[in-house]
Amino acid sequence: LAGLALELWLEQKELHRPFVQVHPGVSALQVAAAKIGAPLMHDFCAISLSDRLTSWEKIEERVKAAAIGDFVIAIYNPRSEGRQWQLKKSIELVLKSRDRDTPVALARQVSREGEDIQVYSLGSLPIEKVDMLTLILIGNSESKRRNGLIVTPRGY
């Protein structure tokens, strides 16, 4: 949220701006990835399915491009009470470029009480288990599922 905070900060007159400093953090996608192996060993992207600030048309373009580009895809804000269909549509878009056996991790409540991380295949993803507290990591065409882990070869 640093971007939003800085936008608001810049709107204030310079004389009235409080001191602001941005610090890097470890994202949920990095934590989840470390807990399920090494899915982020090659190019990846993160996409939010929330259409509150971004149009669904723009989100759909991004999902299509990420799938066609063979990126490992991290999906934030995948499904809420008010947004039930977007995840299913996104999975359908990815399946146009990926095999049904592509490994996918559902990581809920990462690093919090009640953490649950499960590995599935793209074709059998239990969408009904997904909510706003779930991060989804979709492997690329080279990602492999072995011994409960997901590994994306670097290509060497």
Side-chain angles (χ1 to χ4, degrees):
L1 294 176
L4 179 58
L6 288 175
E7 284 181 49
L8 296 171
W9 182 79
L10 288 167
E11 288 177 5
Q12 297 180 29
K13 292 184 178 170
E14 197 167 341
L15 182 64
H16 299 303
R17 291 180 188 157
F19 175 76
V20 172
Q21 194 171 35
V22 178
H23 295 274
V26 177
S27 71
L29 79 89
Q30 292 166 310
V31 175
K35 290 184 176 202
I36 61 153
L40 305 179
M41 288 296 297
H42 214 295
D43 297 332
F44 69 92
C45 65
I47 301 173
S48 171
L49 296 188
S50 175
D51 57 2
R52 291 200 179 263
L53 299 175
T54 305
S55 71
W56 172 251
E57 292 76 22
K58 178 61 80 178
I59 295 167
E60 190 171 334
E61 285 177 26
R62 291 173 178 171
V63 171
K64 286 179 189 176
I68 292 167
D70 201 25
F71 288 91
V72 171
I73 305 169
I75 296 179
Y76 283 97
N77 306 313
R79 189 168 175 259
S80 68
E81 288 185 25
R83 289 185 300 99
Q84 296 287 315
W85 60 270
Q86 287 89 338
L87 177 58
K88 184 174 189 266
K89 177 65 176 175
S90 296
I91 297 303
E92 289 169 0
L93 293 171
V94 174
L95 279 168
K96 290 180 180 181
S97 300
R98 304 272 163 88
D99 191 80
R100 294 181 56 77
D101 292 330
T102 301
V104 178
L106 294 185
R108 188 172 190 284
Q109 290 284 81
V110 177
S111 292
R112 296 180 180 163
E113 186 176 326
E115 175 183 271
D116 184 39
I117 302 175
Q118 302 291 322
V119 178
Y120 299 93
S121 65
L122 187 60
S124 65
L125 194 66
I127 292 175
E128 70 283 351
K129 286 188 168 190
V130 176
D131 62 16
M132 286 295 283
L133 302 176
T134 308
L135 168 77
I136 302 171
L137 285 173
I138 303 171
N140 71 11
S141 65
E142 299 295 318
S143 298
K144 304 292 181 228
R145 178 181 180 179
R146 292 205 176 100
N147 298 330
L149 301 174
I150 299 175
V151 176
T152 302
R154 181 69 181 137
Y156 300 126

